[in-house]
Amino acid sequence: ALFKLLDADEGNVIDLEEFVTGFMRLKGLAKCVDMAKLNYEHKWMAKRITSFIQRTDDRLGRLDERTARLFAGAPPEDLGSI
């Protein structure tokens, strides 16, 4: 995890400038700002993922119901849209 934080250009190599800049960023005020940004982004992404999971679960539930009715012999017009 520390390597990924220091490898700013994602080149899988940490040069001297990345090393020094990375460690300077991980201390003091910059660390607080970075942590606040990371926390904000985490909350934003968690809300989006939760919403996606709920929508997907709802749609899969409706699909499951319609599939069960289809296999039980319900006419296609009674199945509605997904």
Side-chain angles (χ1 to χ4, degrees), residues 9 19 21 28 43 51 58 72 74:
D9 65 3
F19 181 81
T21 305
K43 287 178 182 179
S51 176
D58 290 343

Side-chain angles (χ1 to χ4, degrees), residues 69-82:
R69 282 189 277 159
L70 181 63
F71 284 112
E77 60 270 5
D78 292 344
L79 297 176
S81 64
I82 296 175

Side-chain angles (χ1 to χ4, degrees), residues 51-68:
S51 176
F52 172 76
I53 289 170
Q54 288 172 344
R55 286 190 324 267
T56 302
D57 190 50
D58 290 343
R59 290 178 181 164
L60 287 173
R62 288 183 297 190
L63 180 62
D64 187 47
E65 290 170 6
R66 288 185 177 107
T67 303

Side-chain angles (χ1 to χ4, degrees), residues 7-52:
D7 187 21
D9 65 3
E10 298 178 355
N12 295 325
V13 174
I14 300 174
D15 61 23
L16 182 59
E17 182 179 345
E18 281 180 314
F19 181 81
V20 172
T21 305
F23 270 101
M24 294 302 290
R25 193 171 46 84
L26 292 175
K27 71 174 210 170
L29 179 61
K31 181 179 179 184
C32 293
V33 171
D34 286 344
M35 291 303 295
K37 182 180 177 193
L38 183 62
N39 190 37
Y40 170 81
E41 290 172 350
H42 172 74
K43 287 178 182 179
W44 179 81
M45 185 60 71
K47 286 179 185 177
R48 292 200 59 186
I49 290 171
T50 299
S51 176
F52 172 76

